[in-house]
PDB file of all heavy atoms in Angstrom:
ATOM      1  N   ASP A  18       7.502  -6.837   0.879  1.00 98.00           N
ATOM      2  CA  ASP A  18       6.956  -5.781   0.026  1.00 98.00           C
ATOM      3  C   ASP A  18       5.489  -5.639   0.408  1.00 98.00           C
ATOM      4  O   ASP A  18       4.661  -6.480   0.063  1.00 98.00           O
ATOM      5  CB  ASP A  18       7.102  -6.153  -1.455  1.00 98.00           C
ATOM      6  CG  ASP A  18       6.698  -5.014  -2.396  1.00 98.00           C
ATOM      7  OD1 ASP A  18       6.092  -4.026  -1.920  1.00 98.00           O
ATOM      8  OD2 ASP A  18       6.985  -5.117  -3.602  1.00 98.00           O
ATOM      9  N   THR A  19       5.173  -4.587   1.135  1.00 98.00           N
ATOM     10  CA  THR A  19       3.818  -4.442   1.680  1.00 98.00           C
ATOM     11  C   THR A  19       2.814  -3.894   0.682  1.00 98.00           C
ATOM     12  O   THR A  19       1.638  -3.757   1.019  1.00 98.00           O
ATOM     13  CB  THR A  19       3.819  -3.531   2.926  1.00 98.00           C
ATOM     14  OG1 THR A  19       4.291  -2.224   2.560  1.00 98.00           O
ATOM     15  CG2 THR A  19       4.687  -4.103   4.027  1.00 98.00           C
ATOM     16  N   HIS A  20       3.276  -3.608  -0.555  1.00 98.00           N
ATOM     17  CA  HIS A  20       2.333  -3.038  -1.521  1.00 98.00           C
ATOM     18  C   HIS A  20       2.858  -3.242  -2.936  1.00 98.00           C
ATOM     19  O   HIS A  20       3.744  -2.525  -3.397  1.00 98.00           O
ATOM     20  CB  HIS A  20       2.157  -1.535  -1.247  1.00 98.00           C
ATOM     21  CG  HIS A  20       0.893  -0.963  -1.801  1.00 98.00           C
ATOM     22  ND1 HIS A  20      -0.184  -0.629  -1.021  1.00 98.00           N
ATOM     23  CD2 HIS A  20       0.526  -0.671  -3.073  1.00 98.00           C
ATOM     24  CE1 HIS A  20      -1.154  -0.139  -1.775  1.00 98.00           C
ATOM     25  NE2 HIS A  20      -0.736  -0.162  -3.030  1.00 98.00           N
ATOM     26  N   THR A  21       2.316  -4.245  -3.625  1.00 98.00           N
ATOM     27  CA  THR A  21       2.732  -4.506  -4.999  1.00 98.00           C
ATOM     28  C   THR A  21       1.568  -5.067  -5.810  1.00 98.00           C
ATOM     29  O   THR A  21       0.859  -5.968  -5.352  1.00 98.00           O
ATOM     30  CB  THR A  21       3.929  -5.470  -5.049  1.00 98.00           C
ATOM     31  OG1 THR A  21       4.196  -5.813  -6.412  1.00 98.00           O
ATOM     32  CG2 THR A  21       3.694  -6.731  -4.237  1.00 98.00           C
ATOM     33  N   HIS A  22       1.394  -4.524  -6.997  1.00 98.00           N
ATOM     34  CA  HIS A  22       0.299  -4.946  -7.882  1.00 98.00           C
ATOM     35  C   HIS A  22       0.814  -6.015  -8.851  1.00 98.00           C
ATOM     36  O   HIS A  22       0.858  -5.804 -10.067  1.00 98.00           O
ATOM     37  CB  HIS A  22      -0.226  -3.740  -8.670  1.00 98.00           C
ATOM     38  CG  HIS A  22      -0.776  -2.644  -7.818  1.00 98.00           C
ATOM     39  ND1 HIS A  22      -2.112  -2.555  -7.476  1.00 98.00           N
ATOM     40  CD2 HIS A  22      -0.176  -1.576  -7.224  1.00 98.00           C
ATOM     41  CE1 HIS A  22      -2.313  -1.484  -6.725  1.00 98.00           C
ATOM     42  NE2 HIS A  22      -1.148  -0.875  -6.548  1.00 98.00           N
ATOM     43  N   LEU A  23       1.175  -7.171  -8.332  1.00 98.00           N
ATOM     44  CA  LEU A  23       1.782  -8.208  -9.166  1.00 98.00           C
ATOM     45  C   LEU A  23       0.812  -8.798 -10.189  1.00 98.00           C
ATOM     46  O   LEU A  23       1.251  -9.453 -11.135  1.00 98.00           O
ATOM     47  CB  LEU A  23       2.350  -9.317  -8.278  1.00 98.00           C
ATOM     48  CG  LEU A  23       3.669  -8.992  -7.576  1.00 98.00           C
ATOM     49  CD1 LEU A  23       3.994 -10.047  -6.534  1.00 98.00           C
ATOM     50  CD2 LEU A  23       4.807  -8.871  -8.593  1.00 98.00           C
ATOM     51  N   TYR A  24      -0.469  -8.580  -9.998  1.00 98.00           N
ATOM     52  CA  TYR A  24      -1.463  -9.063 -10.968  1.00 98.00           C
ATOM     53  C   TYR A  24      -1.627  -8.106 -12.148  1.00 98.00           C
ATOM     54  O   TYR A  24      -2.366  -8.389 -13.086  1.00 98.00           O
ATOM     55  CB  TYR A  24      -2.825  -9.247 -10.283  1.00 98.00           C
ATOM     56  CG  TYR A  24      -3.299  -7.997  -9.576  1.00 98.00           C
ATOM     57  CD1 TYR A  24      -3.938  -6.979 -10.261  1.00 98.00           C
ATOM     58  CD2 TYR A  24      -3.077  -7.824  -8.211  1.00 98.00           C
ATOM     59  CE1 TYR A  24      -4.354  -5.818  -9.608  1.00 98.00           C
ATOM     60  CE2 TYR A  24      -3.481  -6.675  -7.555  1.00 98.00           C
ATOM     61  CZ  TYR A  24      -4.123  -5.686  -8.260  1.00 98.00           C
ATOM     62  OH  TYR A  24      -4.516  -4.532  -7.621  1.00 98.00           O
ATOM     63  N   SER A  25      -0.940  -6.974 -12.107  1.00 97.00           N
ATOM     64  CA  SER A  25      -1.087  -5.954 -13.138  1.00 97.00           C
ATOM     65  C   SER A  25      -0.758  -6.486 -14.530  1.00 97.00           C
ATOM     66  O   SER A  25       0.108  -7.357 -14.704  1.00 97.00           O
ATOM     67  CB  SER A  25      -0.168  -4.767 -12.825  1.00 97.00           C
ATOM     68  OG  SER A  25      -0.055  -3.899 -13.930  1.00 97.00           O
ATOM     69  N   GLU A  26      -1.422  -5.898 -15.521  1.00 97.00           N
ATOM     70  CA  GLU A  26      -1.149  -6.249 -16.917  1.00 97.00           C
ATOM     71  C   GLU A  26       0.308  -5.969 -17.289  1.00 97.00           C
ATOM     72  O   GLU A  26       0.836  -6.566 -18.230  1.00 97.00           O
ATOM     73  CB  GLU A  26      -2.076  -5.460 -17.850  1.00 97.00           C
ATOM     74  CG  GLU A  26      -3.552  -5.766 -17.703  1.00 97.00           C
ATOM     75  CD  GLU A  26      -4.252  -4.918 -16.648  1.00 97.00           C
ATOM     76  OE1 GLU A  26      -3.560  -4.279 -15.833  1.00 97.00           O
ATOM     77  OE2 GLU A  26      -5.494  -4.908 -16.642  1.00 97.00           O
ATOM     78  N   ALA A  27       0.956  -5.088 -16.555  1.00 98.00           N
ATOM     79  CA  ALA A  27       2.364  -4.753 -16.833  1.00 98.00           C
ATOM     80  C   ALA A  27       3.281  -5.966 -16.673  1.00 98.00           C
ATOM     81  O   ALA A  27       4.388  -5.983 -17.213  1.00 98.00           O
ATOM     82  CB  ALA A  27       2.830  -3.626 -15.914  1.00 98.00           C
ATOM     83  N   PHE A  28       2.819  -6.982 -15.936  1.00 98.00           N
ATOM     84  CA  PHE A  28       3.627  -8.180 -15.716  1.00 98.00           C
ATOM     85  C   PHE A  28       3.121  -9.383 -16.513  1.00 98.00           C
ATOM     86  O   PHE A  28       3.526 -10.515 -16.247  1.00 98.00           O
ATOM     87  CB  PHE A  28       3.640  -8.531 -14.221  1.00 98.00           C
ATOM     88  CG  PHE A  28       4.211  -7.450 -13.346  1.00 98.00           C
ATOM     89  CD1 PHE A  28       3.424  -6.819 -12.397  1.00 98.00           C
ATOM     90  CD2 PHE A  28       5.529  -7.062 -13.475  1.00 98.00           C
ATOM     91  CE1 PHE A  28       3.946  -5.817 -11.583  1.00 98.00           C
ATOM     92  CE2 PHE A  28       6.068  -6.066 -12.665  1.00 98.00           C
ATOM     93  CZ  PHE A  28       5.265  -5.447 -11.717  1.00 98.00           C
ATOM     94  N   GLU A  29       2.262  -9.126 -17.464  1.00 97.00           N
ATOM     95  CA  GLU A  29       1.598 -10.214 -18.194  1.00 97.00           C
ATOM     96  C   GLU A  29       2.585 -11.174 -18.846  1.00 97.00           C
ATOM     97  O   GLU A  29       2.363 -12.386 -18.873  1.00 97.00           O
ATOM     98  CB  GLU A  29       0.668  -9.624 -19.260  1.00 97.00           C
ATOM     99  CG  GLU A  29      -0.454 -10.552 -19.691  1.00 97.00           C
ATOM    100  CD  GLU A  29      -1.399 -10.898 -18.546  1.00 97.00           C
ATOM    101  OE1 GLU A  29      -1.816  -9.994 -17.793  1.00 97.00           O
ATOM    102  OE2 GLU A  29      -1.680 -12.106 -18.397  1.00 97.00           O
ATOM    103  N   GLU A  30       3.684 -10.654 -19.360  1.00 97.00           N
ATOM    104  CA  GLU A  30       4.608 -11.485 -20.136  1.00 97.00           C
ATOM    105  C   GLU A  30       5.709 -12.142 -19.310  1.00 97.00           C
ATOM    106  O   GLU A  30       6.338 -13.106 -19.770  1.00 97.00           O
ATOM    107  CB  GLU A  30       5.232 -10.655 -21.263  1.00 97.00           C
ATOM    108  CG  GLU A  30       4.222 -10.168 -22.291  1.00 97.00           C
ATOM    109  CD  GLU A  30       4.880  -9.391 -23.412  1.00 97.00           C
ATOM    110  OE1 GLU A  30       6.125  -9.274 -23.416  1.00 97.00           O
ATOM    111  OE2 GLU A  30       4.147  -8.889 -24.291  1.00 97.00           O
ATOM    112  N   ASP A  31       5.962 -11.641 -18.102  1.00 98.00           N
ATOM    113  CA  ASP A  31       7.089 -12.198 -17.336  1.00 98.00           C
ATOM    114  C   ASP A  31       6.833 -12.229 -15.831  1.00 98.00           C
ATOM    115  O   ASP A  31       7.754 -12.102 -15.030  1.00 98.00           O
ATOM    116  CB  ASP A  31       8.361 -11.402 -17.629  1.00 98.00           C
ATOM    117  CG  ASP A  31       8.272  -9.934 -17.205  1.00 98.00           C
ATOM    118  OD1 ASP A  31       7.161  -9.462 -16.911  1.00 98.00           O
ATOM    119  OD2 ASP A  31       9.324  -9.264 -17.182  1.00 98.00           O
ATOM    120  N   ARG A  32       5.589 -12.432 -15.436  1.00 98.00           N
ATOM    121  CA  ARG A  32       5.233 -12.373 -14.020  1.00 98.00           C
ATOM    122  C   ARG A  32       6.037 -13.364 -13.175  1.00 98.00           C
ATOM    123  O   ARG A  32       6.537 -13.023 -12.097  1.00 98.00           O
ATOM    124  CB  ARG A  32       3.734 -12.606 -13.845  1.00 98.00           C
ATOM    125  CG  ARG A  32       3.240 -12.457 -12.404  1.00 98.00           C
ATOM    126  CD  ARG A  32       1.729 -12.533 -12.317  1.00 98.00           C
ATOM    127  NE  ARG A  32       1.116 -11.340 -12.884  1.00 98.00           N
ATOM    128  CZ  ARG A  32       0.457 -11.306 -14.046  1.00 98.00           C
ATOM    129  NH1 ARG A  32       0.342 -12.402 -14.778  1.00 98.00           N
ATOM    130  NH2 ARG A  32      -0.071 -10.185 -14.493  1.00 98.00           N
ATOM    131  N   GLU A  33       6.167 -14.595 -13.638  1.00 98.00           N
ATOM    132  CA  GLU A  33       6.889 -15.605 -12.870  1.00 98.00           C
ATOM    133  C   GLU A  33       8.354 -15.229 -12.683  1.00 98.00           C
ATOM    134  O   GLU A  33       8.918 -15.411 -11.603  1.00 98.00           O
ATOM    135  CB  GLU A  33       6.773 -16.968 -13.554  1.00 98.00           C
ATOM    136  CG  GLU A  33       5.372 -17.560 -13.476  1.00 98.00           C
ATOM    137  CD  GLU A  33       5.307 -18.959 -14.051  1.00 98.00           C
ATOM    138  OE1 GLU A  33       6.363 -19.621 -14.143  1.00 98.00           O
ATOM    139  OE2 GLU A  33       4.194 -19.392 -14.410  1.00 98.00           O
ATOM    140  N   GLU A  34       8.960 -14.673 -13.732  1.00 98.00           N
ATOM    141  CA  GLU A  34      10.362 -14.252 -13.641  1.00 98.00           C
ATOM    142  C   GLU A  34      10.522 -13.097 -12.669  1.00 98.00           C
ATOM    143  O   GLU A  34      11.489 -13.035 -11.897  1.00 98.00           O
ATOM    144  CB  GLU A  34      10.889 -13.855 -15.022  1.00 98.00           C
ATOM    145  CG  GLU A  34      11.011 -15.011 -16.000  1.00 98.00           C
ATOM    146  CD  GLU A  34       9.764 -15.221 -16.831  1.00 98.00           C
ATOM    147  OE1 GLU A  34       8.654 -14.836 -16.373  1.00 98.00           O
ATOM    148  OE2 GLU A  34       9.887 -15.766 -17.937  1.00 98.00           O
ATOM    149  N   VAL A  35       9.557 -12.157 -12.693  1.00 98.00           N
ATOM    150  CA  VAL A  35       9.586 -11.008 -11.774  1.00 98.00           C
ATOM    151  C   VAL A  35       9.528 -11.485 -10.326  1.00 98.00           C
ATOM    152  O   VAL A  35      10.292 -11.024  -9.469  1.00 98.00           O
ATOM    153  CB  VAL A  35       8.407 -10.053 -12.090  1.00 98.00           C
ATOM    154  CG1 VAL A  35       8.173  -9.078 -10.939  1.00 98.00           C
ATOM    155  CG2 VAL A  35       8.670  -9.297 -13.384  1.00 98.00           C
ATOM    156  N   ILE A  36       8.621 -12.408 -10.049  1.00 98.00           N
ATOM    157  CA  ILE A  36       8.480 -12.926  -8.684  1.00 98.00           C
ATOM    158  C   ILE A  36       9.715 -13.711  -8.272  1.00 98.00           C
ATOM    159  O   ILE A  36      10.205 -13.584  -7.137  1.00 98.00           O
ATOM    160  CB  ILE A  36       7.196 -13.780  -8.566  1.00 98.00           C
ATOM    161  CG1 ILE A  36       5.961 -12.880  -8.746  1.00 98.00           C
ATOM    162  CG2 ILE A  36       7.147 -14.508  -7.225  1.00 98.00           C
ATOM    163  CD1 ILE A  36       4.649 -13.629  -8.812  1.00 98.00           C
ATOM    164  N   GLN A  37      10.261 -14.499  -9.194  1.00 98.00           N
ATOM    165  CA  GLN A  37      11.447 -15.286  -8.868  1.00 98.00           C
ATOM    166  C   GLN A  37      12.652 -14.400  -8.573  1.00 98.00           C
ATOM    167  O   GLN A  37      13.447 -14.695  -7.671  1.00 98.00           O
ATOM    168  CB  GLN A  37      11.780 -16.263  -9.998  1.00 98.00           C
ATOM    169  CG  GLN A  37      12.825 -17.305  -9.616  1.00 98.00           C
ATOM    170  CD  GLN A  37      12.400 -18.130  -8.412  1.00 98.00           C
ATOM    171  OE1 GLN A  37      11.314 -18.697  -8.375  1.00 98.00           O
ATOM    172  NE2 GLN A  37      13.269 -18.186  -7.389  1.00 98.00           N
ATOM    173  N   ARG A  38      12.783 -13.299  -9.322  1.00 98.00           N
ATOM    174  CA  ARG A  38      13.900 -12.369  -9.049  1.00 98.00           C
ATOM    175  C   ARG A  38      13.815 -11.830  -7.624  1.00 98.00           C
ATOM    176  O   ARG A  38      14.829 -11.685  -6.935  1.00 98.00           O
ATOM    177  CB  ARG A  38      13.887 -11.211 -10.063  1.00 98.00           C
ATOM    178  CG  ARG A  38      14.532 -11.533 -11.385  1.00 98.00           C
ATOM    179  CD  ARG A  38      14.847 -10.281 -12.174  1.00 98.00           C
ATOM    180  NE  ARG A  38      13.677  -9.590 -12.674  1.00 98.00           N
ATOM    181  CZ  ARG A  38      13.069  -9.860 -13.839  1.00 98.00           C
ATOM    182  NH1 ARG A  38      13.532 -10.839 -14.604  1.00 98.00           N
ATOM    183  NH2 ARG A  38      12.035  -9.164 -14.231  1.00 98.00           N
ATOM    184  N   ALA A  39      12.609 -11.543  -7.202  1.00 98.00           N
ATOM    185  CA  ALA A  39      12.418 -11.038  -5.839  1.00 98.00           C
ATOM    186  C   ALA A  39      12.710 -12.137  -4.814  1.00 98.00           C
ATOM    187  O   ALA A  39      13.427 -11.908  -3.829  1.00 98.00           O
ATOM    188  CB  ALA A  39      10.999 -10.507  -5.674  1.00 98.00           C
ATOM    189  N   LEU A  40      12.182 -13.320  -5.039  1.00 98.00           N
ATOM    190  CA  LEU A  40      12.404 -14.427  -4.110  1.00 98.00           C
ATOM    191  C   LEU A  40      13.892 -14.724  -3.950  1.00 98.00           C
ATOM    192  O   LEU A  40      14.369 -15.005  -2.842  1.00 98.00           O
ATOM    193  CB  LEU A  40      11.664 -15.673  -4.595  1.00 98.00           C
ATOM    194  CG  LEU A  40      10.135 -15.629  -4.522  1.00 98.00           C
ATOM    195  CD1 LEU A  40       9.546 -16.850  -5.218  1.00 98.00           C
ATOM    196  CD2 LEU A  40       9.642 -15.542  -3.082  1.00 98.00           C
TER     197      LEU A  40
END
Side-chain angles (χ1 to χ4, degrees):
D18 187 348
T19 61
H20 201 106
T21 173
H22 299 268
L23 284 169
Y24 55 83
S25 167
E26 296 88 345
F28 300 117
E29 203 62 46
E30 296 182 3
D31 62 347
R32 184 173 289 108
E33 290 185 21
E34 292 91 335
V35 164
I36 294 173
Q37 192 58 52
R38 278 196 290 273
L40 291 172

